[in-house]
Amino acid sequence: LSFFSDGVFAVLITVLVLELRPPESPTFTALMALWPTCLSYAVSYLFIAIVWTNHHYLLRYAREATARLLWFNFAHLFSISLLPLSTAWMAVSELAPQPVAFYAAVFFLVNATYVALIWDLIDRTPGTTIAPGMRRIMWIRALTTLCGFALAAVVALKHPLAGLGICICCLIVYLKPEPP
């Protein structure tokens, strides 16, 4: 399960980088004009890295690949596979409201499927393996960021940079997969 998922993450990073195009003229001004693309790529790359790290953290609790775990994992990978599309749309639109809102909605979907993985892998693991306090912190973090991504999608419709900023703040919470 982990090896297959690793392959999907690697392909997504590759697809993401293939969307990058050099500036049309050989000047720093032309390069600086691509700042929305560079920002979109950087945030998406960070997002994939964080999701991948957290995915590995969760999968270490898997004792067996149940049908439910496989389907939750496929849903998670599907939601992540939407990231190159949303990144490219956001970049070419130069951070227009609807593409940024869609981008945040993809983050919401990825986090929602992560919540399903938490439910399957953490809540179904005996209490002796994962302390109740750690479970509670994981749930609070997951549900808080889920609300944060939903808020980002709504805010982005009026203030796209603020919506993107909320997404980035939610990502920071997951830089370390282990709960604090």
Side-chain angles (χ1 to χ4, degrees):
L1 183 63
S2 185
F3 292 130
F4 174 77
S5 299
D6 288 349
V8 171
F9 282 109
V11 167
L12 289 173
I13 287 174
T14 303
V15 170
L16 196 63
V17 77
L18 290 175
E19 289 294 319
L20 293 178
R21 300 283 181 256
E24 297 203 10
S25 63
T27 64
F28 287 120
T29 304
L31 182 62
M32 294 307 292
L34 295 177
W35 74 267
T37 299
C38 294
L39 178 63
S40 301
Y41 173 77
V43 172
S44 294
Y45 190 91
L46 176 65
F47 185 57
I48 290 175
I50 289 170
V51 171
W52 196 349
T53 303
N54 283 272
H55 186 266
H56 268 276
Y57 176 78
L58 273 184
L59 283 184
R60 71 184 185 154
Y61 293 107
R63 301 291 176 245
E64 63 180 311
T66 64
R68 179 173 44 214
L69 175 59
L70 290 173
W71 283 111
F72 284 160
N73 194 59
F74 275 120
H76 192 56
L77 295 175
F78 169 78
S79 63
I80 296 164
S81 75
L82 297 172
L83 196 61
L85 168 69
S86 61
T87 301
W89 189 28
M90 186 172 68
V92 299
S93 75
E94 298 184 356
L95 306 177
Q98 290 84 2
V100 176
F102 178 69
Y103 188 71
V106 168
F107 279 40
F108 175 87
L109 184 60
V110 170
N111 207 50
T113 57
Y114 185 74
V115 167
L117 286 172
I118 289 174
W119 175 76
D120 193 52
L121 292 170
I122 302 301
D123 275 6
R124 297 183 62 228
T125 301
T128 56
T129 305
I130 305 166
M134 182 182 251
R135 287 176 198 246
R136 188 172 44 258
I137 290 170
M138 289 178 81
W139 273 110
I140 290 169
R141 178 173 71 171
L143 295 175
T144 301
T145 54
L146 191 64
C147 293
F149 289 132
L151 175 66
V154 172
V155 167
L157 290 171
K158 277 286 194 195
H159 307 284
L161 285 177
L164 186 59
I166 293 169
C167 286
I168 293 168
C169 289
C170 290
L171 290 180
I172 291 169
V173 174
Y174 282 106
L175 282 174
K176 185 177 176 192
E178 300 87 19

